[in-house]
Amino acid sequence: MIIQKILCCALLLQPLAIGGSLLNQAPASAATVNDGQITLLEKDFSTAVEGQSAAQLGFDYSTLPSGATSDATIQEEPSSKQKALHLAVNDAGASPFLISKTFGESKTGTITAEITFMQPGSAKKQDQLLQLYNSGSGTSSKYLVISGLDPSKGAVYWTDTAPTDLKIPYQLNQWHTMKLEVNTLNKRFSLWLDGVEIRARDKANLFSNDNSNAFNFKKLVIGTPAGNGEVYVRNVKVTHTPPKEPDAPQIAYWVGRDQSIAMWIYPDTAVTKYSIKIKAREEDPWYTTATYTGTPQTIPILASPSAGNEWDYTLNKTVKLTNGKKYIIGVAAITRDEVAKVDIEGKITQFEATPYAVTPIEPPADSIMGTVNAYNNYQAHRWSIHAGLKIGDEPFADRASPLKIVSLPEKYQKADWIKTHVDTMKYSGPYPQIATFSVRDKTAVYVAMDQRETLPDWLKASEGWTDTGEVIQLADPALTYSFKIYKKMYGAQEEVVMPWNNYTEYNSGNNAGYFMFAERVPTDLKLDPVKPYTNLANYTISGTVAENVYAGSVSSSVYQNVYSSTVTLSVYQNKSLVYNTLLTQNQYMVDLKLVPGANLVEVIAQRPNAAFFDMVTATVTYDQISPEFQIAAPPPVVKEAGYILHGSLSKSVLLTVKLNGTIVADSVSQTGQVPFAYPLNLKEGSNTIEVSAVDTAGNRSTVNYVVQYVFWMGPPETVDLEGKQITAITPSKDMLAQKQVTNPTSSHKHVTLWFVLYDSSNSMVDYSSVDADLEPGQTKTLYAGFTLPSQTNGYKVKAFIWDSLTGMKPYSDVFEL
């Protein structure tokens, strides 16, 4: 058989992993590179004309038993209301209804068929949905591979014996996409459902020894369930890629094991096997260390060969790989032409890798666990370290029936924990432990052990472990398990050993193993309350550290306090270290010299050799600036008892206002630059006003004012007998002087209202007066009046208030009209 060689630029993956890290590369399908791919058929039935038949669209129909009916037309699917090709059959017994598309020439190479379908109804039915046939005619026409559906098994495929269970479910009345790919050279196929590859490089129908039947592609067949069944098809596409050498493999990741390097390769239908090559130096020739033909059975689908030997050019023989030595690994894909019986090898993908006797698993930077060294390192690449233990977590990777946490004490939900591979629990050597790790600070380490397990010696009280009396419950789809929690304390940098599980009981199904988690023990550092503001440069902070526990000692009849000094206390002021010492007691006091302004204080407690520490912080502001008043000074003499003190301050304070020694406002919070106003009730005579302010640092400012209050009344007014105001003198008019007077003082007052008439020569013509006695706080209305003469030209009246005729002390301004 002549193979057409098509030169192409394959994507060569250069792994950058160190010590087994995952490679940063997205998965790729086999058809990553378009090497002359041709579309043979592409139908989008959602755009077809409703009522159009499959025959009109270029498909042939199968024959059916007598009495059977079928349908193959474009219809609107009832649920989604989308147009699709509706295929249905009724009363066909064991026969399905098939539509087919035969192509003009048979094709060799890679054939890919993709269909988007929906199985309607209320019950799932078996359906040989997508079928690829060769170029034979009549009974000599053979299918290469068939993919479809099974009610109990999900997505399935048929070859000589079928259907084979892929355990990938599908749903009724939902759209799914199935892709089937077959390579005619190596006679292998791959199958996808909804983008998930569920079979890779599996053997197609090899026709046993019947080599007279050509393994090529000629016809596509789409089928319904047999007897009475239906299916909707939204679109279908078939492509062909001519024969070519296989693409360079794409490596997902590699893992260093004990004298071995394992790798995982993204699948390619055209690959029959992989050639695994190795060399120690770039200039060395490749040595083929292994040939891998395995077919992956798990999802995701990845080939998993290993390199375990190298060629020793000095000894001239193969030797085991050396742990810790860096190697260059090469992987080439091989397509086996099953007709010509020749191998076609593609380009090599190479990367550097190192085997390990013990696999290091690096934790997150903030984990209390240090590097976990897995002695059971065959599946160590599946181990991981997690922060936060929570409902739904799976402590064991790759368990056939996932075992998940369904309940746990809330206090453990911040713990760091190790997820191991499920087979870790049956490890039995050659090393005496499963793994080890150090802790980065004082740590409480916990073991959650299946309570059915016979308690191993390493977990007993004599080894420092205590039963907490608590449990974590885990469950798989079948059972619920109770895991008892044991605890042991470890110091910073101490090594924790994960011993063997009771693997005999595990292998017999009598325990589900154990897993470890850990949580840092804080020093319980506390800082006593601090003043956020002070006007003193010398300042002392204090607090406690519970880590330093009193031990007690008596020596020479003198009682001494002895503490386990396990914590170094460091104090930073504005990021500068000002104090550092190993504590000798559980209390501390540190004197600081503050600088003007804000002082950031950070107190740190750290154990020797620990990678973590506890820290408390506070800010103390050193302020010696006294508050400044912005107050308009009151006048020295006022004639109103009520006076409002207005002002503001330069900064926020507690404001106190006193009048004659009596508190008006007592330590009232006053914001800086915000105006204030306080009404004052002055006493007659001299009044002292004192205003003081204290800021948050304790700086105080005080101002004093003296104000003389003189008892005084406003001027009287003139009215007629009806009380209406008079603004002009009218001859012969009755006229009154009127004044409402109040005594706001604390003493008795005698007042006299005078109302006097003057002629044009300023001689007194007439007058009227009224006296009144006013007690403190009393108010009276005074009237005095007379009848104006008939001739008032040049006359005027005056009204005013005196204390008395003899004292003649004025109490008001003079009203004149």
Side-chain angles (χ1 to χ4, degrees), residues 626-627 629 656 689-694 700-705:
S626 298
F629 291 100
T656 298
I689 302 172
E690 180 185 292
V691 185
S692 61
V694 180
R700 177 182 294 273
S701 294
T702 303
V703 292
N704 290 279
Y705 303 100

Side-chain angles (χ1 to χ4, degrees), residues 116-417:
T116 301
F117 68 93
M118 181 180 66
Q119 191 177 93
S122 57
K124 293 182 177 181
K125 296 182 178 181
Q126 189 179 96
D127 188 354
Q128 294 187 0
L129 181 66
L130 197 58
Q131 309 175 23
L132 305 182
Y133 276 78
N134 75 347
S135 60
S137 60
T139 57
S140 65
S141 177
K142 299 286 186 178
Y143 68 81
L144 311 180
V145 65
I146 299 173
S147 63
L149 310 171
D150 184 272
S152 60
K153 300 177 180 179
V156 294
Y157 70 91
W158 284 259
T159 54
D160 285 339
T161 57
T164 297
D165 181 8
L166 297 181
K167 297 180 180 178
I168 304 298
Y170 69 96
Q171 302 299 323
L172 292 171
N173 305 304
Q174 290 186 18
W175 290 105
H176 297 279
T177 297
M178 181 174 284
K179 184 170 78 171
L180 180 62
E181 187 172 86
V182 65
N183 184 276
T184 65
L185 299 186
N186 66 359
K187 300 183 180 181
R188 293 177 181 252
F189 75 92
S190 299
L191 180 62
W192 292 260
L193 184 66
D194 294 332
V196 177
E197 190 163 16
I198 55 180
R199 206 65 170 181
R201 301 173 39 247
D202 211 333
K203 293 180 180 179
N205 191 340
L206 300 182
F207 305 122
S208 300
N209 296 318
D210 186 6
N211 288 326
S212 62
N213 256 302
F215 203 98
N216 57 25
F217 171 71
K218 179 74 172 179
K219 183 171 68 173
L220 168 74
V221 175
I222 301 172
T224 67
N228 296 280
E230 59 181 330
V231 66
Y232 285 92
V233 178
R234 195 162 63 196
N235 52 25
V236 62
K237 182 178 181 179
V238 179
T239 62
H240 166 237
T241 301
K244 64 182 183 67
E245 71 176 32
D247 294 331
Q250 298 184 61
I251 311 300
Y253 57 93
W254 65 268
V255 172
R257 291 174 172 164
D258 189 8
Q259 294 187 301
S260 172
I261 296 168
M263 63 211 75
W264 281 259
I265 308 171
Y266 291 117
D268 184 341
T269 306
V271 176
T272 304
K273 55 187 175 182
Y274 293 97
S275 175
I276 313 303
K277 308 170 189 296
I278 192 169
K279 57 184 176 179
R281 300 177 302 172
E282 189 64 48
E283 60 269 25
D284 290 341
W286 287 114
Y287 168 69
T288 300
T289 180
T291 300
Y292 180 79
T293 59
T295 301
Q297 303 297 316
T298 59
I299 297 175
I301 303 287
L302 294 171
S304 54
S306 295
N309 298 291
E310 64 171 314
W311 185 261
D312 189 315
Y313 290 95
T314 302
L315 300 176
N316 201 32
K317 66 175 184 178
T318 60
V319 296
K320 295 292 292 181
L321 299 187
T322 302
N323 288 329
K325 181 179 177 180
K326 184 177 291 185
Y327 292 92
I328 301 171
I329 306 297
V331 184
I334 297 174
T335 297
R336 174 71 174 175
D337 186 332
E338 295 291 349
V339 176
K341 303 302 181 184
V342 296
D343 289 340
I344 306 165
E345 183 169 322
K347 295 181 176 63
I348 296 174
T349 295
Q350 69 178 52
F351 58 93
E352 290 185 343
T354 305
Y356 297 104
V358 180
T359 298
I361 300 158
E362 295 303 325
D366 58 353
S367 175
I368 190 59
M369 298 178 178
T371 300
V372 175
N373 296 302
Y375 290 82
N376 166 230
N377 73 346
Y378 189 77
Q379 294 95 1
H381 66 286
R382 302 294 293 150
W383 290 29
S384 51
I385 302 171
H386 300 265
L389 197 60
K390 59 185 182 300
I391 304 298
D393 282 336
E394 299 179 40
F396 308 106
D398 299 335
R399 197 173 187 267
S401 297
L403 187 59
K404 299 182 179 181
I405 296 175
V406 293
S407 71
L408 78 159
E410 185 177 355
K411 66 181 182 180
Y412 298 125
Q413 293 183 3
K414 293 183 180 180
D416 295 339
W417 58 285

Side-chain angles (χ1 to χ4, degrees), residues 431-494:
Y431 300 101
Q433 64 272 325
I434 295 172
T436 62
F437 62 91
S438 60
V439 291
R440 295 169 166 173
D441 202 347
K442 184 177 180 179
T443 303
V445 176
Y446 300 91
V447 168
M449 171 77 74
D450 187 340
Q451 67 177 8
R452 298 173 301 165
E453 181 164 343
T454 301
L455 191 67
D457 290 341
W458 61 265
L459 199 53
K460 292 181 178 178
S462 58
E463 297 298 320
W465 292 93
T466 58
D467 185 345
T468 65
E470 298 171 314
V471 298
I472 296 178
Q473 286 196 319
L474 293 89
D476 60 22
L479 296 170
T480 298
Y481 307 83
S482 290
F483 281 59
K484 297 181 69 174
I485 301 174
Y486 298 83
K487 175 183 178 181
K488 184 176 180 179
M489 300 301 298
Y490 287 83
Q493 302 307 321
E494 275 196 84

Side-chain angles (χ1 to χ4, degrees), residues 682-687 708-711 745-747 749 809:
L682 304 179
K683 69 181 181 65
E684 189 175 15
S686 180
N687 292 265
Q708 186 76 20
Y709 165 52
V710 177
F711 176 67
T745 72
S746 60
S747 60
K749 295 293 181 182
K809 180 179 180 181

